[in-house]
């Protein structure tokens, strides 16, 4: 979510230039292409006085072929003390945000473990969540409060990793975090145990689910935990947890009321909550928010609006929607980032549809079309890094495209297909997806080739061109000019509005007045009148 309000924020040239160096993804390095990450164990002591971390990360990998070099990403702001491969100490270099391990003998294909001991002062976020790094602050009572944001920079902000969206730890993560005893650590998965060590406490969090790098993190604060049991749409029992600052404990119960309503609504459209075997979690943070798996960051300060006459929190809804679109369904390349942000933003509009009706839902897109910049295609080229892929249109145009796709397919096909995609093993958890996967799936569900529509909306900046030619006897020829498939189009005349199929050959409309094309705005279009 880190740049959702980008249009309203003017970043300085210094910050913008710095962000470029922290981006993740890009072309996969050959030394990392042969590496399949299976698991991370991250054990760190957090020193609030020094604003530093110290500890180790163990990386469990499967090598596709033998190698003499291992390559991992870690920012130079941290110091690497030593490296062990399968228990044996190895030589290494750490520069240009890369750890290069020079093996004393060839590492065979198959399983291996790499333990990196390191520490130092991690990069500090200047404007979280739009800028990544650690946020060291205090709550209003004076307790220490720390958060991490890493969507753009990736996990290399504070732990050695393969920093590329195409590979996630299939067997999850263990996080063993030691903090002052009066503070609480909120992390992904399930809390295994808390060990008191005199003046400190160690929290062991564990997730067995596949998880993206930027969700592998923790938050620390003077938290109180509020919990409720929840039954998913498929009948599974799980727990909803809210890690809230003690100073805001009085707000937690109502927050959970609003949250549970959001959970029910999202499950209706996208299927069962994806990580029900662990928990449904939110944690209060000093930044606005982020979609961290099973422990979503929330910093909207309990500012509710009304939808359907009841309290609604847009930040809560959007970030929680990423549990499906981003965490369960994950793009294998940042070039396909719209799958996360566009479909999730479309899901936000579905909440309005659910509780205020179709007309209120339509108004969202009638207004949002004006925010679409259309300067760069939503899907550009493979091997993009996050910074280049992250444009405003992955939200606004991506969501509008789903609105158009719904119209083209019709509700009887679209909504079952949307849920089927989000619940299919072929497209979820370990199986990362591309725009081509989404197109081929929806084409199959629609029973027709939708690739021209996907290409027009996502791979170009063109608008759908509708040509109207006036003819004798109150007749008009209506044609589509820049797409080679027939599409439904609403056409309004003095006789009312009628939905008809239009293609490049066109259809004739009889009307005493000029026809109005797509009056409810289901398309991003350009109407050409001759």
């Amino acid at each position: 979510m880190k740049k959702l309000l980008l249009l309203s924020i003017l970043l300085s040239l210094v910050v913008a230039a710095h962000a470029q160096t922290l981006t993740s993804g890009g072309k996969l390095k050959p030394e990392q292409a042969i590496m399949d990450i299976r698991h991370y164990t991250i054990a760190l002591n957090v020193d609030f006085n020094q604003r530093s971390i110290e500890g180790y990360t163990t990386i469990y990998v499967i090598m596709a072929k033998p190698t003499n070099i291992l390559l991992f990403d870690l920012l130079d702001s941290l110091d690497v003390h030593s490296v062990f491969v399968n228990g044996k100490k190895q030589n290494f270099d750490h520069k240009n945000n890369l750890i290069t391990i020079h093996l004393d003998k060839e590492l065979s294909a198959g399983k291996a473990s790499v333990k990196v001991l390191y520490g130092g002062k991690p990069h500090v976020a200047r404007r979280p969540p739009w800028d990544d790094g650690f946020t060291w602050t205090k709550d209003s009572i004076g307790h220490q409060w720390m958060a991490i944001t890493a969507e753009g920079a990736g996990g290399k902000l504070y732990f050695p990793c393969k920093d590329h969206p195409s590979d996630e730890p299939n067997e999850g993560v263990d996080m063993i975090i030691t903090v002052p005893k009066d503070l609480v650590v909120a992390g992904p998965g399930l809390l295994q145990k808390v060990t008191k060590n005199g003046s400190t406490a160690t929290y062991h969090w564990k997730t067995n689910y596949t998880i993206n790098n930027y969700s592998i993190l923790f938050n620390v604060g003077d938290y109180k935990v509020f919990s409720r049991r929840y039954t998913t749409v498929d009948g599974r029992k799980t727990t909803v947890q809210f890690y809230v600052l003690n100073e805001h404990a009085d707000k937690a119960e109502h927050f959970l009321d609003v949250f549970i309503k959001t959970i029910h609504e999202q499950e209706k459209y996208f299927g069962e909550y994806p990580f029900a075997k662990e928990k449904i979690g939110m944690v209060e943070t000093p930044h606005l928010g982020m979609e961290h798996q099973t422990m979503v960051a929330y910093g909207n300060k309990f500012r509710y609006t009304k939808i359907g006459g009841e309290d609604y929190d847009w930040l809560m809804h959007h970030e929680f929607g990423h549990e499906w679109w981003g965490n369960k369904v994950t793009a294998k390349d940042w070039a396909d980032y719209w799958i996360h942000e566009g479909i999730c933003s479309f899901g936000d509009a579905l909440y309005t549809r659910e509780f205020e009706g179709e007309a209120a839902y339509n108004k969202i897109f009638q207004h949002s079309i004006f925010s679409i910049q259309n300067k760069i295609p939503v899907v550009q080229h493979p091997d993009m890094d996050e910074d280049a892929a992250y444009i405003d249109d992955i939200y606004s145009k991506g969501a509008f495209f789903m609105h158009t796709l719904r119209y083209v397919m019709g509700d009887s096909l679209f909504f079952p297909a949307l849920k089927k995609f989000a619940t299919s093993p072929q497209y979820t958890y370990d199986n990362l997806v591309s725009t081509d996967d989404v197109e081929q799936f929806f084409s199959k569900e629609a029973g027709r080739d939708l690739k021209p529509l996907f290409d027009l909306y996502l791979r170009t900046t063109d608008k759908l061109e509708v040509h109207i030619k006036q003819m004798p006897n109150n007749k008009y020829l209506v044609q589509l000019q820049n797409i080679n498939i027939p599409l439904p189009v609403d056409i309004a005349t003095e006789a009312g509005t009628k939905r008809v199929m239009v293609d490049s050959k066109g259809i004739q409309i009889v009307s005493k007045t000029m026809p109005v094309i797509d009056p409810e705005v289901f398309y991003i279009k350009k109407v050409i009148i001759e």
Side-chain angles (χ1 to χ4, degrees), residues 258-372:
V258 177
F259 188 23
I260 286 172
K261 186 175 181 181
T262 283
I263 300 168
H264 281 302
E265 181 269 337
Q266 301 244 26
E267 283 194 315
K268 173 181 176 178
Y269 287 103
F270 306 143
E272 186 183 46
Y273 170 72
F275 309 105
K277 292 180 182 178
E278 294 183 348
K279 71 175 184 302
I280 303 172
M282 284 226 175
V283 56
E284 188 176 0
T285 56
H287 60 82
L288 188 58
M290 193 71 71
E291 61 264 24
H292 302 141
Q293 186 167 304
T294 72
M295 190 62 86
V296 175
Y298 172 85
N300 202 32
K301 300 181 180 178
F302 311 98
R303 293 176 292 202
Y304 303 111
T305 57
K306 296 289 185 182
I307 290 185
E310 296 187 4
D311 282 348
Y312 167 75
D313 192 309
W314 69 270
L315 187 284
M316 172 200 292
H317 189 277
H318 180 81
E319 301 306 342
F320 183 65
H322 280 301
E323 294 284 44
W324 286 266
W325 307 106
N327 298 341
K328 184 184 183 185
V329 176
T330 307
K332 67 179 67 172
D333 190 314
W334 287 122
D336 303 300
Y337 209 170
W338 77 274
I339 297 171
H340 297 194
E341 299 295 358
I343 303 181
C344 187
S345 296
F346 173 73
D348 296 339
L350 293 179
Y351 188 95
T352 296
R353 177 181 184 264
E354 187 70 12
F355 296 106
E356 288 195 347
E358 205 69 47
Y361 158 91
N362 284 337
K363 284 182 180 178
I364 291 174
F365 291 102
Q366 289 163 6
H367 293 151
S368 73
I369 195 169
F370 297 106
S371 67
I372 297 172

Side-chain angles (χ1 to χ4, degrees), residues 462-519:
D462 298 336
K463 299 179 180 181
L464 179 66
E465 293 182 4
V466 185
H467 183 264
I468 303 176
K469 183 178 181 180
Q470 191 167 4
M471 303 171 69
N473 302 318
N474 295 327
K475 291 181 180 180
Y476 296 86
L477 180 66
V478 180
Q479 300 168 290
L480 302 183
Q481 289 198 321
N482 62 340
I483 195 166
N484 61 0
I485 58 172
L487 294 174
V489 179
D490 287 359
I491 302 177
T493 67
E494 83 286 347
T497 300
K498 185 177 181 180
R499 186 166 301 177
V500 294
M501 294 299 293
V502 183
D503 58 16
S504 58
K505 294 180 181 178
I507 63 167
Q508 284 192 7
I509 300 294
V510 178
S511 177
K512 295 177 182 178
T513 59
M514 176 67 68
V516 177
I517 305 298
D518 184 36

Side-chain angles (χ1 to χ4, degrees), residues 380-394:
Q380 298 176 55
H381 56 79
D383 300 326
M384 295 188 69
D385 63 42
E386 192 272 353
D387 192 71
Y390 213 112
I391 60 175
D392 294 325
D393 280 359
I394 64 172

Side-chain angles (χ1 to χ4, degrees), residues 28-36 62-64 162 166-167:
L28 186 60
K29 302 173 184 68
E31 298 90 345
Q32 292 186 333
I34 62 173
M35 179 189 302
D36 177 19
I62 297 177
M63 305 303 300
K162 177 181 175 181
S166 64
D167 193 8

Side-chain angles (χ1 to χ4, degrees), residues 111-140:
K111 294 182 179 180
S113 67
V114 181
K115 185 175 183 179
V116 180
L117 282 69
Y118 64 101
K121 295 187 176 184
H123 174 73
V124 173
R126 302 186 184 195
R127 199 165 194 163
W130 296 274
D131 176 55
D132 293 324
F134 276 54
T135 297
W136 306 90
T137 187
K138 293 183 179 181
D139 62 25
S140 66

Side-chain angles (χ1 to χ4, degrees), residues 23-207:
T23 191
S24 68
K27 190 171 180 60
L28 186 60
K29 302 173 184 68
E31 298 90 345
Q32 292 186 333
I34 62 173
M35 179 189 302
D36 177 19
I37 302 294
R38 306 305 299 178
H39 185 86
Y40 292 106
T41 295
I42 302 169
L44 296 171
N45 294 316
V46 181
D47 187 328
F48 280 85
N49 292 325
Q50 297 297 319
R51 295 190 170 184
S52 66
I53 57 175
E54 192 74 32
Y56 70 86
T57 292
T58 302
I59 310 161
Y60 298 91
V61 302
I62 297 177
M63 305 303 300
K65 59 177 67 175
T67 185
N68 291 304
I69 291 177
L70 292 171
L71 199 64
F72 295 97
D73 301 280
L74 182 69
L75 291 191
D76 294 341
S77 53
L78 295 167
D79 298 318
V80 177
H81 309 316
S82 55
V83 173
F84 297 83
V85 178
N86 292 333
K88 187 174 181 180
K89 194 171 185 178
Q90 302 288 336
N91 293 321
F92 68 90
D93 295 321
H94 182 208
K95 57 185 178 181
N96 300 322
N97 299 326
L98 288 170
I99 304 172
T100 304
I101 303 170
H102 306 280
L103 299 166
D104 57 9
K105 67 176 183 179
E106 186 176 73
L107 180 66
S108 301
K111 294 182 179 180
S113 67
V114 181
K115 185 175 183 179
V116 180
L117 282 69
Y118 64 101
K121 295 187 176 184
H123 174 73
V124 173
R126 302 186 184 195
R127 199 165 194 163
W130 296 274
D131 176 55
D132 293 324
F134 276 54
T135 297
W136 306 90
T137 187
K138 293 183 179 181
D139 62 25
S140 66
I141 299 175
H143 294 100
Q144 299 282 1
W145 197 10
M146 191 220 78
I148 305 171
T149 48
E151 184 178 10
K156 68 175 179 290
L157 268 169
Y158 82 100
F159 69 95
C161 60
K162 177 181 175 181
D163 186 29
H164 199 274
S166 64
D167 193 8
E168 299 180 346
N170 307 75
E171 297 160 18
V173 176
D174 282 88
M175 303 195 76
I176 303 163
I177 309 299
T178 300
V179 298
K181 67 178 181 180
D182 60 331
L183 299 177
V184 175
V185 178
L190 292 173
L191 183 61
Q192 304 299 296
K193 63 179 179 179
V194 180
T195 304
K196 300 293 184 179
N197 311 299
S199 62
T200 63
T202 300
Y203 287 76
H204 180 186
W205 285 94
K206 182 180 182 65
T207 176

